[in-house]
Amino acid sequence: MDLRRRSFTAKLRTVRRSSGEYLAELERNQFLDPDALASLEARRAADIARFAAEATPFYRRRFDEHGVDLARLEDPDEWQRVPVTDRAHLKANEADLRPAGSERHAREALTAGSTGEPLRTAHDTRVPNLALAWRMYRWWGVQPWDDLARVGRWGFGRLETVRNRLQWWPSRQLYLDARLLDADAMLAFHRDLVRTRPALIEGYVGAVLEFAAFVERTGRTIPPPVAIATSAAPLPPSTRRRIETVLGAPVYDEYRDSEALWMAGECRRQDGLHVFADARRIEVLDPDGRPLPAGEIGDLVVTDFTNRVFPIIRYRTGDRGALIDGPCACGVTLPRVAQPEGRAIDMLRLPSGTALTHITAMFAKHPASVRLFQVHQRDDFSITVKVVLGDEADALRHVEEAVEPLRRRIAGEVPLTIEVVDALPYTGAKTKYVISDVPLRDA
Ligand SMILES: [Zn+2]
């Protein structure tokens, strides 16, 4: 333990000096008084937007079209004139989004996307983004030098694996590839967990849930980690409780994506996610692009203050959420956003135009009745709720009860079927709780 801490600290003073300095700065920022933090955020947002307008044809064109005054971007009203950028914009203008000469600092990133084709972006190798994660880990009592286990899509080749081991030595990192969640892979991962006893297990919600189900099904246990962190999909209360019960540690929600990396994370209070407002701006906007007050759910729009190889300015992430008012009891002054509600696409629509949301929370009151679920709407609007039943005696009756409110909202407009299945198809790294084949209408 001590060797890991000393080695890590030594690296922060030498080979990873920039990470060390950045972490120290982040740890100061998180206790700034809210006004100081807000002006730091406004200054950094304005700086990166000005950089984007000066260095990339895409943003220059868009800012011109909207008459944005680059000199006044710290002013919230002027900031609102900055046009919101969608995934389709990034996809269609990839070349125009890269500042000249930025290639040597670019690490290419391909986002899988829960819908549609992959999107190509790039991360800035000059930015020690991991420090954002380290600050958050400390909220949970996990230290950056602790052993970690990750359940995700780690397409590491042999060389990267060796390089990664060396880079982090003597801290150990275990991996379970979420694309290969068969019994053998889970057994091997379980063996590694028992041997290494990592402080943190971090991974995609669906994959961590799958592993928890495996542990329970096979009557195993694991040495409880200090914390478990999930990302990549909403964390419904039932899922959180289930993972906490089976794996024996609190589960925290992280908000990150491939475009902007770490954006927000829960603290120990599990009462909303602190936005990393010294590095990212998260806005909540209504369908017309106007900012919404705290408590009202809208589109999450992110600005990354640090990426100068593929600037992300007012980018609509496709997730929805709401700002939370007031200070957090943990003492961190970073603003909070309520748990993102998942992809805007993760809703069902009826032929009448009615949108049904909160689908993923459907089984929240019945954690013991449902092991896994998936709601599938076909292109004829019919809805099938597939469930893998839990061990509870009356599981099916509880499922019927849980689906009843949805049935009432649908009011017979389309057929709704409950289908009990033994397993759900595992579609890659991200579990899709809601799948809709109904074509998107133009906004
Ligand atoms: Zn807090």
Side-chain angles (χ1 to χ4, degrees):
M1 168 65 94
D2 204 38
L3 172 64
R4 276 176 303 189
R5 182 175 56 77
R6 273 183 287 131
S7 165
F8 182 88
T9 312
K11 279 178 202 164
L12 290 194
R13 288 201 205 99
T14 54
V15 287
R16 299 185 73 95
R17 188 184 179 91
S18 66
S19 309
E21 286 167 359
Y22 192 37
L23 178 60
E25 189 219 304
L26 293 174
E27 297 208 309
R28 286 191 302 273
N29 293 344
Q30 67 181 339
F31 298 120
L32 287 176
D33 76 70
D35 287 343
L37 197 56
S39 61
L40 177 73
E41 180 190 329
R43 198 167 62 241
R44 290 186 173 175
D47 280 348
I48 192 71
R50 270 192 286 270
F51 168 81
E54 280 154 13
T56 73
F58 171 76
Y59 285 112
R60 190 179 315 131
R61 209 162 51 229
R62 300 259 293 158
F63 282 37
D64 278 351
E65 281 163 15
H66 289 78
V68 178
D69 180 354
L70 293 182
R72 296 182 51 242
L73 280 171
E74 283 86 351
D75 178 340
D77 291 332
E78 195 59 28
W79 180 261
Q80 292 306 321
R81 301 171 75 100
V82 174
V84 172
T85 292
D86 288 315
R87 189 181 168 89
H89 288 121
L90 298 191
K91 212 170 157 51
N93 297 279
E94 193 207 317
D96 277 358
L97 276 150
R98 294 170 186 260
S102 63
E103 314 80 55
R104 66 209 155 92
H105 301 298
R107 188 188 307 115
E108 296 303 310
L110 201 59
T111 85
S114 48
T115 55
E117 317 151 72
L119 170 71
R120 192 178 294 280
T121 62
H123 301 146
D124 194 325
T125 55
R126 290 163 295 192
V127 185
N129 274 297
L130 258 182
L132 290 166
W134 292 338
R135 173 172 66 178
M136 172 177 66
Y137 293 169
R138 284 193 161 149
W139 297 342
W140 311 329
V142 173
Q143 296 300 336
W145 52 82
D146 285 338
D147 295 332
L148 310 178
R150 295 218 160 92
V151 185
R153 198 159 52 90
W154 310 99
F156 287 158
R158 188 179 290 271
L159 184 65
E160 280 93 326
T161 307
V162 171
R163 192 182 294 144
N164 208 49
R165 285 233 170 96
L166 289 176
Q167 191 181 346
W168 290 102
W169 183 90
S171 302
R172 285 165 296 187
Q173 301 211 352
L174 316 177
Y175 295 101
L176 172 61
D177 188 331
R179 290 170 305 182
L180 299 170
L181 283 185
D182 56 17
D184 285 346
M186 290 206 269
L187 259 176
F189 186 62
H190 179 265
R191 206 162 40 232
D192 286 348
L193 287 180
V194 170
R195 193 165 46 214
T196 310
R197 303 176 155 263
L200 175 67
I201 299 176
E202 188 175 40
Y204 295 139
V205 177
V208 173
L209 186 62
E210 195 90 0
F211 178 69
F214 166 83
V215 167
E216 194 183 45
R217 192 169 60 237
T218 58
R220 286 162 212 275
T221 54
I222 63 163
V226 175
I228 299 166
T230 62
S231 62
L235 178 65
S238 61
T239 303
R240 190 201 294 263
R241 274 202 300 275
R242 187 168 163 70
I243 298 173
E244 288 183 339
T245 307
V246 177
L247 301 184
V251 174
Y252 302 102
D253 193 22
E254 286 179 20
Y255 185 44
R256 59 201 267 197
D257 67 16
S258 328
E259 293 89 325
L261 299 171
W262 288 274
M263 295 179 275
E266 280 185 335
C267 64
R268 220 178 277 228
R269 312 288 304 194
Q270 296 174 314
D271 185 16
L273 288 77
H274 285 285
V275 176
F276 303 161
D278 44 359
R280 313 280 187 265
R281 169 174 274 177
I282 293 184
E283 299 171 81
V284 178
L285 304 183
D286 75 8
D288 298 320
R290 282 187 297 255
L292 285 167
E296 289 188 31
I297 295 173
D299 290 338
L300 299 184
V301 167
V302 66
T303 300
D304 179 346
F305 302 161
T306 60
N307 187 343
R308 288 175 181 248
V309 301
F310 198 103
I312 300 283
I313 314 290
R314 298 199 96 197
Y315 174 62
R316 202 193 308 272
T317 63
D319 300 309
R320 292 165 64 75
L323 297 173
I324 298 176
D325 230 352
C328 180
C330 78
V332 168
T333 50
L334 298 169
R336 282 176 300 156
V337 63
Q339 206 190 94
E341 296 216 335
R343 302 275 147 187
I345 196 78
D346 280 357
M347 65 159 91
L348 305 178
R349 212 155 15 78
L350 301 182
S352 60
T354 305
L356 305 169
T357 57
H358 290 89
I359 303 294
T360 54
M362 186 159 53
F363 296 109
K365 289 195 190 114
H366 303 270
S369 300
V370 178
R371 212 179 280 285
L372 289 168
F373 71 92
Q374 192 172 63
V375 181
H376 188 176
Q377 182 172 37
R378 294 183 200 284
D379 56 6
D380 62 359
F381 290 92
S382 68
I383 297 166
T384 307
V385 180
K386 292 182 185 174
V387 290
V388 179
L389 291 181
D391 300 324
E392 205 172 48
D394 270 343
L396 186 57
R397 192 172 53 79
H398 287 132
V399 167
E400 310 256 5
E401 260 171 46
V403 173
E404 193 48 37
L406 178 63
R407 225 183 256 292
R408 276 201 300 274
R409 277 147 79 197
I410 292 170
E413 196 176 324
V414 300
L416 186 159
T417 321
I418 297 173
E419 197 181 307
V420 176
V421 294
D422 292 330
L424 282 171
Y426 200 76
T427 52
K430 298 187 180 188
T431 298
K432 295 175 183 167
Y433 292 102
V434 180
I435 298 174
S436 178
D437 302 333
V438 175
L440 271 179
R441 284 177 311 192
D442 295 331

